[in-house]
């Protein structure tokens, strides 16, 4: 059985296939803001033997509809879109409204939770940088969101022609000699300094916490963090999706309790109890 796993982000689409519990190497392509059908034709038309499609999508309903129309036409398969849940795979969502946690953040947590029980922090360096933490019991403690490298650079470049000059951005230095490189280095240092402080605070608050970096800019960011204990994993969302693809993946939603029939003695005690106001129902 071959399952196609698709991670639709704000800037790009990543994908891999799950075959016999083994994940193929991931691939990616840039995502158009208006449509993805042409990109799907180029990326997926050569794929054969696809049995099902699982999707993580943060790009909105329009893109989701285009993907569904394409897979139904190409393979007669309706894709399954995963959504954040209250509880699954031992992870408890910290949001009061679980669906409001981005599904990519949820799948990151699901993916790292399969290792030994331990507090974990995931730093996802995409268009936005998201930071989420779970304790050793798998309880989501919440997170942070800050602008990523691309958003920071676009904010500086907006309305200023000089900042859009095409320069070589393959490296960075402490002191740049052109405006473009100065923005490249300045934004990278700004993000890395912020993350270093957050990581330091996490380590003070959680004993033996493991730090994992992922996302399109993850390798760039981790290169300046200067911490060899931080792990990099490019495919956390896809790995989280692969867990949903397993036949035995069952929801862990709480089952309703069965009402127990009162014993004769308890019924007798109730009959003898003085009348009074009923207690408020627990929220």
């Amino acid at each position: 059985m071959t399952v196609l796993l698709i991670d639709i982000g704000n800037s790009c689409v990543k994908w891999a296939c799950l075959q016999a519990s083994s994940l193929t190497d991931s691939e990616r392509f840039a995502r158009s803001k208006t449509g993805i059908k042409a990109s799907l034709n180029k990326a997926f038309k050569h794929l054969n033997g696809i049995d099902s499609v699982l999707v993580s999508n943060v790009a909105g309903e329009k893109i989701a509809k285009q993907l569904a129309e394409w897979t139904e036409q190409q393979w007669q398969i309706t894709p399954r879109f995963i959504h954040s849940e209250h509880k699954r795979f031992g992870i408890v969502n910290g949001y009061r409204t679980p669906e409001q946690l981005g599904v990519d953040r949820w799948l990151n947590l699901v993916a790292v939770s399969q290792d030994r029980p331990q507090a974990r922090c995931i730093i996802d360096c995409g268009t936005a940088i998201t930071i989420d933490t779970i304790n050793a019991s798998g309880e989501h403690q919440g997170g942070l969101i800050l602008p990523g490298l691309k958003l920071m650079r676009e904010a500086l470049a907006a309305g200023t022609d000089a900042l859009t000059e095409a320069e070589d951005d393959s490296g960075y230095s402490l002191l740049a000699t052109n405006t473009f490189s100065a923005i490249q280095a300045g934004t990278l240092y700004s993000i890395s300094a912020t993350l270093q402080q957050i990581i330091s605070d996490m380590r003070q608050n959680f004993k033996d916490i493991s730090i994992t970096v992922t996302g399109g800019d993850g390798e760039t960011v981790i290169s300046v963090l200067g911490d060899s204990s931080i792990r990099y994993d490019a495919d956390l969302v896809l790995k989280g999706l692969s867990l949903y693809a397993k036949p035995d993946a069952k929801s862990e939603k709480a089952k309703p309790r069965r009402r127990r029939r009162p014993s004769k003695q308890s019924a007798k005690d109730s009959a003898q109890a003085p009348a009074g106001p009923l207690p408020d129902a627990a929220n």
Side-chain angles (χ1 to χ4, degrees), residues 21-92:
S21 300
S22 179
L23 201 62
T24 63
D25 291 338
S26 63
E27 300 185 45
R28 69 171 62 204
F29 57 86
R31 181 180 74 77
S32 167
K33 295 296 182 183
T34 57
I36 61 170
K37 287 190 176 181
S39 298
L40 295 176
N41 279 326
K42 185 176 181 180
F44 297 153
K45 202 162 186 178
H46 69 283
L47 295 178
N48 297 309
I50 300 298
D51 297 293
S52 61
V53 179
L54 266 68
V55 186
S56 165
N57 174 41
V58 298
E61 290 299 321
K62 183 178 179 179
I63 295 296
K65 183 179 178 182
Q66 290 181 10
L67 174 65
E69 290 173 349
W70 192 91
T71 60
E72 288 166 359
Q73 182 179 5
Q74 181 72 16
W75 299 311
Q76 294 73 55
I77 294 174
T78 300
R80 177 186 172 196
F81 290 87
I82 302 302
H83 300 283
S84 300
E85 302 180 79
H86 168 62
K87 184 178 181 182
R88 175 83 76 126
F89 304 112
I91 298 298
V92 179

Side-chain angles (χ1 to χ4, degrees), residues 264-277:
K264 292 182 179 179
Q265 182 60 43
S266 62
K268 181 180 179 181
D269 292 342
S270 297
Q272 295 176 350

Side-chain angles (χ1 to χ4, degrees), residues 83-101 106 109-110 138-140 244 251-254:
H83 300 283
S84 300
E85 302 180 79
H86 168 62
K87 184 178 181 182
R88 175 83 76 126
F89 304 112
I91 298 298
V92 179
N93 194 327
Y95 272 33
R96 291 184 178 180
T97 305
E99 298 80 10
Q100 290 183 353
L101 178 70
W106 169 252
L109 295 172
V110 165
E139 297 167 332
H140 180 217
Y244 275 89
S251 175
E252 297 181 27
K253 293 179 181 179

